[in-house]
Amino acid sequence: MLARTATSCAWARTKQLGAQSVVCKHLNLNQQQLQRIRIQANAAAPMQPQVADVYYEGGVDPDITAFQQHQKTAPRPEAAEEARTWAALARHATLATLSVNRETPGFPNASVVEFIVDSRGLPVLAVSGLSLHTADMLADGRVALSIASPNFASLADGRVTLQGRMRELSDAERVPLRDAFLAKYPTAFWVDFADFKWLVMEELSAVRYNGGFGMAGKVTKEQYLSASPDPVAAFAGPVCGHMNADHMADTIAMISHTTGLQKVSSAKLTGLDRLGMNAEVVREGQSFKVRLPFSRPAEDRKSIKDVIVEMTRAAAQARAAATAAAKAKREAASEHGCMNIVRPIGAADSEEKCELATEEGQQQLQLVLLLFPSGTCIVTMGTPTFSGFVHGQSLRESQPSLLVHVCMLVGTPTLNSMHVR
């Protein structure tokens, strides 16, 4: 059994805002000591907000550069279409009115409301006559309605604000709208109470669109009124839920094949439309959004499934071809006395072990990785007659025939490759 002894270890973690280091010397490590090291490392490097590499232009990572170029031209719905889609699908919105309450006259008054939109995409409200915002709107119809995208979780997600003037609907006007409202909110029996009033944004004054971090855009009221909701966005919930629960590996494969982005460790689909899907991915500890375009537009629910199946198969075929090419390269290298072993190992709270051997079986190499979420990495390795410590460097010991090289990026505890001669 390989002794868990490190003669020296260093951890360097470089960030945009600074660097910290933790040095451990001459430790005999047991599980309790490892836990203490983990706590100390995290305390020495408190969490700092980090801007993902994808938001910087002119980086040195070719994968990121290619990905950035892909995302610039990836098909997306027009901003006006997205705004109309959010207004059609959102179940709640924040209503801002001008207060006529004697305690706060003229102050903004905000409340959460349920709403539907009419055929023009303009909001319709059913509100109690006892509510302060109802009195505000009847006295001064100027309002703002802030609508978040259905998957809204942070300011990185989209939202739109409609500014306009509300007016009360007549009994005849509200009959068809009542049916549409109850179709969206089946349990809203209170809309038939005698004191409830129905109001519509009769006059749209402005549209304020924000697609999320780095995605602000301009939408005129004419563009909004002439746009239509996306035909398949309403199916995002069940489709994305199924893919996230059962097919994350397929999603990662599609992202890698379609966008060229490698080293993605997790991917969560957050929405879709007829032109593609949106995902939140983690790559080398950094989280950011990815636009995954469809290979062809999807105009209904069945076509969503068909396109995803096509893209999954294409990604699998590309992966198989790449694997075959890598195998051929390894076989060619082995003929020259060099064997490449590739085995990704992700960060873990506990130690990860693997045993690697040359094809001839003459040298047995045991590798123990102690990888901490904070970025600390301890690597010990050895053969029956060799034991030593290495961190991102070549190491020669008493056996000239053994050369071990571990390629490891500091702060990104992933074993990329090992070369054994």
Side-chain angles (χ1 to χ4, degrees), residues 91-158:
R91 297 188 60 82
H92 303 89
T94 301
L95 173 69
T97 60
L98 296 174
S99 175
V100 295
N101 185 276
R102 64 176 179 270
E103 296 178 356
T104 55
F107 277 78
N109 178 33
S111 54
V112 177
V113 295
E114 295 175 336
F115 73 102
I116 60 172
V117 293
D118 62 15
S119 59
R120 301 167 295 174
L122 297 179
V124 176
L125 308 179
V127 289
S128 171
L130 302 177
S131 299
L132 294 178
H133 54 245
T134 302
D136 295 342
M137 289 186 288
L138 293 178
D140 188 334
R142 290 177 297 171
V143 303
L145 190 71
S146 182
I147 304 168
S149 59
N151 65 315
F152 189 90
S154 73
L155 294 182
D157 300 314

Side-chain angles (χ1 to χ4, degrees), residues 39-312:
I39 295 173
Q40 292 169 358
N42 288 332
M47 292 297 295
Q48 295 285 353
Q50 185 177 12
V51 180
D53 293 341
V54 295
Y55 298 123
Y56 289 100
E57 294 287 346
V60 296
D61 188 332
D63 282 351
I64 292 296
T65 300
F67 170 73
Q68 290 172 330
Q69 293 303 314
H70 174 273
Q71 294 292 279
K72 288 179 180 179
T73 58
R76 306 171 186 268
E78 296 292 334
E81 183 180 351
E82 277 199 314
R84 280 294 303 270
T85 301
W86 299 339
L89 297 181
R91 297 188 60 82
H92 303 89
T94 301
L95 173 69
T97 60
L98 296 174
S99 175
V100 295
N101 185 276
R102 64 176 179 270
E103 296 178 356
T104 55
F107 277 78
N109 178 33
S111 54
V112 177
V113 295
E114 295 175 336
F115 73 102
I116 60 172
V117 293
D118 62 15
S119 59
R120 301 167 295 174
L122 297 179
V124 176
L125 308 179
V127 289
S128 171
L130 302 177
S131 299
L132 294 178
H133 54 245
T134 302
D136 295 342
M137 289 186 288
L138 293 178
D140 188 334
R142 290 177 297 171
V143 303
L145 190 71
S146 182
I147 304 168
S149 59
N151 65 315
F152 189 90
S154 73
L155 294 182
D157 300 314
R159 60 271 192 192
V160 63
T161 297
L162 304 179
Q163 294 174 307
R165 192 178 296 273
M166 305 294 290
R167 75 166 177 87
E168 188 175 3
L169 293 170
S170 66
D171 291 343
E173 289 176 308
R174 74 181 186 181
V175 170
L177 295 174
R178 173 188 175 278
D179 294 340
F181 197 96
L182 289 176
K184 186 175 183 179
Y185 307 102
T187 61
F189 57 86
W190 47 83
V191 299
D192 289 329
F193 289 176
D195 70 302
F196 263 69
K197 299 183 181 299
W198 292 76
L199 296 97
V200 63
M201 184 178 286
E202 182 64 24
E203 177 185 333
L204 179 63
S205 301
V207 179
R208 309 299 184 194
Y209 167 90
N210 190 325
F213 181 73
M215 296 292 291
K218 181 175 178 58
V219 176
T220 67
K221 60 182 181 180
E222 292 79 14
Q223 290 171 331
Y224 177 85
L225 292 171
S226 62
S228 298
D230 185 88
V232 300
F235 306 124
V239 173
C240 293
H242 171 67
M243 292 295 294
N244 292 336
D246 301 327
H247 301 286
M248 181 185 290
D250 292 330
T251 300
I252 294 175
M254 285 189 288
I255 290 173
S256 174
H257 175 62
T258 304
T259 72
L261 189 65
Q262 308 299 321
K263 304 176 185 177
V264 173
S265 57
S266 70
K268 178 183 178 181
L269 294 177
T270 59
L272 61 81
D273 51 69
R274 62 187 179 86
L275 299 179
M277 298 181 285
N278 301 314
E280 182 83 19
V281 306
V282 176
R283 179 186 186 270
E284 298 188 328
Q286 297 181 347
S287 177
F288 53 92
K289 292 185 178 297
V290 170
R291 177 65 178 177
L292 178 58
F294 285 146
S295 54
R296 55 184 175 85
E299 301 297 341
D300 54 39
R301 184 163 185 171
K302 181 181 183 302
S303 61
I304 296 174
K305 178 181 178 180
D306 294 341
V307 172
I308 291 177
V309 169
E310 292 171 9
M311 294 175 64
T312 301

